[in-house]
Amino acid sequence: MSKTFRVMTVCTGNICRSPMAEIVLREAFAANGLDADVVVDSTGVSGEEQGNPVDRRARSVLSRHGYPAGDSHRARRVTTADVAGHDLVLAMTAHHARALRRLVRADGEGAEIRMFRSFDPEAPVLREGQGEHLLDVEDPWYGGMEDFEVCLREIEAATPGIVEYVRERLAA
C-alpha cells in the first residue's frame, strides 16, 4: 500500500460531531494497523466556530470512553480544495452532504461523499423516495451529556464499516 488514503469528517461547526468522528476513526485505523496508510481530519460547513477547540462536553465523553480529547484540534471551515484533496468525505447529516456536493469541482474530481451512518449496519436502509436525513448523526449541541453519548454511539457503530471500506479501497 503506497498511496495515503485521506478521510475527512464534516459537521456544522467542527467542534462536536466531526472532531469526535475524526478521533474515533483515527484510533480505529491505528488499532487495525492502517494508521500509516490513512490520514483523518475534520471540518465544518460553517465558519462560525473557526479556531475554536473541541466542545468541552465532546471532550468529556471522548475521554470517558478512552479516546484522546482532541487537545490540538481547532475548528475550520471546509473548502473546495478539501473536498478535492480527500478520497472519502463523511457527512454527519443530509444538510452537510448537500453543502459538500456543492463544493465538488465541475470536473467531478475529488472525494466520494457519503453519509457517515451509511456504514452502520443497524442504520436505516434508504428506500426510493426516502431522504438521506434518516442517516443523520444526531446533533448533541443543544442537548445534555446523554446527547453526546448518543452521538458517540452512532459514530462508533459506523466506524468498523468505514475501516473495512477503506481497507478494501487500499487493497484495490
Side-chain angles (χ1 to χ4, degrees):
M1 296 184 225
S2 61
K3 180 186 182 284
T4 299
F5 196 91
R6 297 183 52 82
V7 178
M8 182 171 57
T9 61
V10 182
C11 69
T12 303
N14 191 220
I15 61 168
C16 294
R17 289 171 287 185
S18 61
M20 289 173 73
E22 171 189 355
I23 289 164
V24 170
L25 282 174
R26 189 176 294 129
E27 293 293 303
F29 286 124
N32 282 274
L34 296 172
D35 50 325
D37 301 306
V38 182
V39 173
V40 184
D41 64 350
S42 65
T43 59
V45 298
S46 167
E48 66 191 271
E49 298 289 349
Q50 185 81 22
N52 288 337
V54 175
D55 179 275
R56 65 177 170 70
R57 297 163 296 175
R59 292 170 54 83
S60 176
V61 167
L62 286 165
S63 293
R64 189 168 35 250
H65 289 272
Y67 295 104
D71 294 336
S72 64
H73 175 82
R74 293 295 174 260
R76 65 185 189 87
R77 186 176 190 170
V78 67
T79 66
T80 300
D82 288 322
V83 175
H86 285 78
D87 300 293
L88 179 62
V89 177
L90 299 166
M92 294 293 147
T93 70
H95 166 76
H96 303 136
R98 284 190 301 276
L100 290 164
R101 289 180 185 122
R102 287 192 295 270
L103 292 176
V104 172
R105 294 183 357 194
D107 60 10
E109 286 296 312
E112 174 183 6
I113 298 169
R114 297 269 307 263
M115 294 290 290
F116 193 92
R117 287 193 65 217
S118 69
F119 292 93
D120 177 354
E122 300 298 318
V125 175
L126 297 184
R127 291 174 175 65
E128 188 173 331
Q130 291 182 311
E132 283 182 311
H133 68 279
L134 294 173
L135 295 175
D136 285 0
V137 172
E138 292 298 318
D139 186 356
W141 175 254
Y142 295 104
M145 290 305 291
E146 179 55 31
D147 297 286
F148 283 85
E149 293 283 349
V150 168
C151 179
L152 181 61
R153 284 194 298 271
E154 289 178 342
I155 290 167
E156 288 178 327
T159 294
I162 295 167
V163 170
E164 187 54 35
Y165 180 78
V166 171
R167 183 190 314 275
E168 291 170 5
R169 293 277 309 270
L170 284 166

